[in-house]
Amino acid sequence: MLLKYIIYAKEVRNVDCIFCKIIKGEIPAKIIYEDDKILAFKDISPIAPTHILFIPKEHIESVNFLENQHIDLVGEIILKMKEVAAKLGIGDEGYRIVNNCGNLGGQTVGHLHFHLIGGRQMQWPPG
Ligand code: AMP
Ligand code: ZN
């Protein structure tokens, strides 16, 4: 049986997951912010002048897999996004935070992530 999950530095990682590989340094990324629980890096295919992905270091597949134990973690990610947006100088002009969940939600990478998108006028409704 394939061992899919490993305990790495006390956290669950998925060996098949590209974002877990970025966390482990196996795939390069332009890191914007890192602490023991959160990693932020530039999206490889930016859709705006600022496009950064914020992920938990714990492998959580999507919002559908969030539990009560993750409430603080998600709150910290959102607050960190606000902080980074301010540091990058786009806080006051505004930006968009996006999470795509599951197939119809448009999620293409199965590791929870929040997009910080800014630097241009956003449109509504999204596609
Ligand atoms: P989503 O479609 O919401 O699942 O978003 C996945 C995002 O991950 C897309 O915007 C991709 O451009 C981005 N992405 C995929 N692979 C990489 C990578 N190796 N480094 C940085 N961003 C990536
Ligand atoms: Zn992962």
Side-chain angles (χ1 to χ4, degrees):
M1 195 174 70
L2 190 67
L3 180 63
K4 209 172 177 190
Y5 291 90
I6 55 171
I7 306 296
Y8 184 85
K10 293 186 197 161
E11 285 176 12
V12 178
R13 305 275 162 78
N14 181 323
V15 291
D16 298 327
C17 171
I18 56 169
F19 286 178
C20 282
K21 286 181 180 169
I22 288 175
I23 293 166
K24 287 185 280 179
E26 293 173 3
I27 291 179
K30 291 183 180 156
I31 307 292
I32 300 295
Y33 173 81
E34 180 167 20
D35 64 28
D36 56 331
K37 286 176 277 188
I38 300 169
L39 185 68
F41 53 91
K42 287 192 178 183
D43 195 292
I44 203 166
S45 305
I47 61 164
T50 298
H51 189 171
I52 301 168
L53 300 175
F54 287 71
I55 67 172
K57 287 190 170 177
E58 177 183 350
H59 180 85
I60 302 167
E61 201 165 314
S62 74
V63 164
N64 276 344
F65 290 77
L66 286 171
E67 309 277 358
N68 282 345
Q69 72 200 57
H70 300 122
I71 287 173
D72 285 352
L73 175 63
V74 173
E76 281 174 35
I77 290 173
I78 302 298
L79 284 178
K80 191 53 67 180
M81 296 179 86
K82 178 194 81 166
E83 199 180 301
V84 169
K87 276 191 181 145
L88 294 175
I90 61 167
D92 289 339
E93 67 190 28
Y95 49 87
R96 183 168 288 174
I97 290 175
V98 172
N99 170 261
N100 298 321
C101 180
N103 285 338
L104 291 189
Q107 184 175 5
T108 59
V109 177
H111 182 128
L112 180 67
H113 52 281
F114 297 89
H115 300 252
L116 172 64
I117 305 163
R120 67 166 169 82
Q121 180 60 56
M122 298 298 147
Q123 306 299 323
W124 195 265

